[in-house]
Amino acid sequence: MKRRAAFVGMGLALTLAGQAQASNGRYPGLGMDYSTAIQYDFSSLDVPHQPHTVTTNGYFDITTAVHFRLTTIDEIWVGSEISPVTDTRPGERRWLGGTGLNITDVNWYHQGYVSSFRLGKFDVPFGRAQDAAPGLYTSDFVAPYALGGMNGGTYEYRFFTDNWGTIAPSLSLYAADTSVLSRSFLRPSQQARRSDGGATNTGKLNNAAVVVNWRAPAAIPYLEVQVGYMTNHKGDVSAASPTAANEQMRVASVRYMIPFVATTDLGPTLAGRYLDLVPFVEYVKVHNENGVPGFDTKYLTTSLTFDAGRFAYGLTHTNKQISPSGGPRSNEYLTEASMVYHVTGLVDLALSGGRSRQGGQTSGLLGISITLNGSF
């Protein structure tokens, strides 16, 4: 079965590539966005009075989004990711291990002049730290509130004014995916089940997120603000989650770009004469995280990015405060400094290092990746 799935995937990719090039942008037609990364992670676990435990992991992370263009404003999206789907063990030296194929998106995407929507399997547009904060590891740290691969739909309407810029409220209704697309392919894995429990695992579109994005007011043209509220119903009460509870989240974030010389010309950027600073702050408050009653958390992410021509330097810190019902408070965190060198318009070389504390354990982190991005 695994070999058949691999050959089917290769055949589909080759077919799509040939058709996309032949379509020459006409409608209907086919296109693809892709990102191929080779990454090597190094972590050192600090345990008092014991030798450091060193773990290494080298792997490919290949993401693709194939879109079948029906009209100029309607597309069918199919997204996939080939990456490790199992965690490394402490002290393990792994290279290309634990790799699987996940189907991340299958949806109808409509992009109108003032509104847009997605119907199918999609990522809930709630929170920005997973994309806006620099570094290689922040996206995993904030994953508990960055919900991806949900079944349902999202709708956004955009209001435009000269003074207020763009104000875009959105509504998403969704449930956890328990179809065959919830499993990992190319390796043995299990399909998600309703009996697994957890927030959003209801089989009904009774989970919701309301988000408002505000961008580019005339007085502060480089400002981006997001506020939102999410409510997720508990899954089935079963042996996996005998005391499940509903989950609620609130988010507020601000991102602002400070250009030293306001220009959109490519020449100064490539020559290293374009400079800007991008501060970002996001606060998320979670009640009953993942449906665990009384397990309340607060995330505060702060980051600063300095763009200088081909280079981008970043510093990110995320603090997670855990307040379990009836237990003592604790803090987890992730701090990383990063650098990205844009070798060409398609190739990026990234280096990131820092420290993390999770589950009562402190680790040093170091990662390097080279990424090829493109589309056709």
Side-chain angles (χ1 to χ4, degrees):
M1 289 299 292
K2 290 192 294 182
R3 179 178 298 178
R4 180 180 180 275
F7 286 149
V8 169
M10 292 173 60
L12 176 61
L14 291 173
T15 302
L16 294 176
Q19 292 181 356
Q21 292 171 341
S23 72
N24 197 26
R26 293 191 296 268
Y27 296 89
L30 284 168
M32 177 186 288
D33 302 319
Y34 61 87
S35 173
T36 302
I38 304 174
Q39 184 165 326
Y40 191 81
D41 296 330
F42 173 95
S43 66
S44 175
L45 179 63
D46 299 336
V47 180
H49 313 297
Q50 294 185 21
H52 288 190
T53 301
V54 177
T55 304
T56 62
N57 188 20
Y59 54 90
F60 285 97
D61 191 340
I62 303 172
T63 60
T64 62
V66 178
H67 36 103
F68 178 73
R69 298 185 292 265
L70 303 174
T71 69
T72 56
I73 59 175
D74 291 286
E75 300 178 340
I76 302 297
W77 280 67
V78 179
S80 66
E81 180 175 12
I82 298 176
S83 63
V85 295
T86 59
D87 295 330
T88 54
R89 300 183 302 274
E92 183 179 3
R93 305 294 201 274
R94 190 168 76 173
W95 175 251
L96 302 183
T99 299
L101 167 66
N102 287 325
I103 304 301
T104 57
D105 299 86
V106 181
N107 58 70
W108 171 23
Y109 176 47
H110 172 86
Q111 176 72 292
Y113 180 70
V114 296
S115 65
S116 61
F117 65 77
R118 290 184 186 271
L119 293 175
K121 184 172 183 176
F122 70 105
D123 294 342
V124 180
F126 183 92
R128 300 194 61 199
Q130 64 270 30
D131 299 317
L136 296 176
Y137 304 110
T138 297
S139 58
D140 291 333
F141 194 81
V142 301
Y145 67 84
L147 302 185
M150 296 288 126
N151 286 341
T154 181
Y155 176 82
E156 179 186 79
Y157 191 89
R158 296 179 291 277
F159 299 91
F160 304 91
T161 70
D162 292 337
N163 292 330
W164 289 95
T166 302
I167 300 175
S170 67
L171 172 65
S172 302
L173 300 175
Y174 51 89
D177 181 20
T178 54
S179 72
V180 67
L181 298 182
S182 65
R183 65 179 296 267
S184 297
F185 300 91
L186 307 184
R187 65 176 296 104
S189 66
Q190 290 187 344
Q191 179 177 328
R193 299 167 299 178
R194 289 282 308 282
S195 59
D196 294 337
T200 75
N201 192 5
T202 62
K204 304 174 184 178
L205 300 182
N206 57 355
N207 309 284
V210 178
V211 174
V212 177
N213 288 289
W214 181 32
R215 297 182 290 270
I220 318 175
Y222 301 109
L223 178 68
E224 300 174 3
V225 177
Q226 182 183 98
V227 293
Y229 175 76
M230 175 183 287
T231 176
N232 298 320
H233 281 257
K234 62 184 179 181
D236 288 343
V237 177
S238 63
S241 53
T243 59
N246 295 337
E247 176 187 55
Q248 294 88 35
M249 304 186 194
R250 295 167 176 84
V251 63
S253 69
V254 179
R255 182 177 184 269
Y256 186 69
M257 184 179 70
I258 308 171
F260 289 89
V261 179
T263 178
T264 57
D265 294 336
L266 183 61
T269 301
L270 296 180
R273 297 193 299 271
Y274 175 76
L275 306 172
D276 70 34
L277 281 174
V278 185
F280 171 76
V281 179
E282 179 168 271
Y283 174 75
V284 178
K285 183 178 181 180
V286 185
H287 177 55
N288 298 332
E289 183 173 296
N290 196 32
V292 179
F295 190 76
D296 297 343
T297 59
K298 298 177 182 178
Y299 295 81
L300 178 62
T301 298
T302 56
S303 72
L304 183 66
T305 305
F306 175 49
D307 295 302
R310 291 179 180 267
F311 288 90
Y313 305 92
L315 182 62
T316 303
H317 177 77
T318 300
N319 185 78
K320 178 181 181 180
Q321 183 183 96
I322 303 173
S323 304
S325 178
R329 292 187 178 183
S330 61
N331 283 281
E332 298 183 346
Y333 66 85
L334 170 66
T335 301
E336 60 177 322
S338 60
M339 181 192 72
V340 178
Y341 176 64
H342 304 291
V343 181
T344 70
L346 300 177
V347 180
D348 293 334
L349 179 64
L351 177 67
S352 185
R355 292 185 68 80
S356 172
R357 181 170 180 80
Q358 299 183 67
Q361 298 180 328
T362 303
S363 301
L365 303 172
L366 180 65
I368 185 171
S369 72
I370 183 168
T371 305
L372 171 66
N373 301 295
S375 61
F376 55 80

